[in-house]
Amino acid sequence: MKPSHGPDRLDDDDYPAYTMGRAAEMIGATPGFLRAVGEARLITPLRSDGGHRRYSRYQLRIAARARELVDQGTPVEAACRIVILEDQLEDALRLNAELRDGDEA
């Protein structure tokens, strides 16, 4: 049986490996920024047994994109909405391409 932690988990983009302080440091933001994007429902960190927020690499990429927009002058709530809409558009374009490729087969 494989352990539920260890090096294999660190390769998982969705594994919540980073504390709030480390996550903020990694994306050049503050813990307050991470709380704000959480409140805007852009990302939802998992909680440790002690109740501390834990972030995955995937969540940090999303938060970093929002931080870029905020750094350009976009309010946090608007930046989060933009990132959500960009993600939805990317999914829709991918689905359309898959459907189009399926019709050609």
Side-chain angles (χ1 to χ4, degrees):
M1 177 185 254
K2 257 185 159 176
S4 63
H5 59 287
D8 291 341
R9 300 292 282 180
L10 295 177
D11 291 336
D12 182 352
D13 256 7
D14 295 318
Y15 181 67
Y18 304 101
T19 63
M20 178 180 275
R22 179 69 179 123
E25 179 183 306
M26 289 172 69
I27 66 167
T30 64
F33 175 80
L34 288 175
R35 280 190 290 276
V37 296
E39 289 169 11
R41 296 191 179 131
L42 177 62
I43 58 174
T44 304
L46 291 175
R47 297 282 182 152
S48 68
D49 290 340
H52 299 283
R53 291 173 178 90
R54 304 286 293 192
Y55 298 88
S56 69
R57 286 191 309 218
Y58 172 75
Q59 289 173 323
L60 294 183
R61 281 196 301 274
I62 298 294
R65 174 65 183 126
R67 187 191 56 79
E68 290 171 7
L69 292 168
V70 169
D71 287 350
Q72 295 169 9
T74 306
V76 171
E77 297 81 12
C80 290
R81 187 68 186 141
I82 289 167
V83 172
I84 290 167
L85 290 170
E86 287 175 341
D87 195 45
Q88 290 172 345
L89 176 59
E90 184 179 313
D91 286 345
L93 291 172
R94 181 189 43 74
L95 180 59
N96 283 342
E98 288 172 7
L99 292 172
R100 189 173 40 253
D101 291 345
D103 287 343
E104 294 172 3

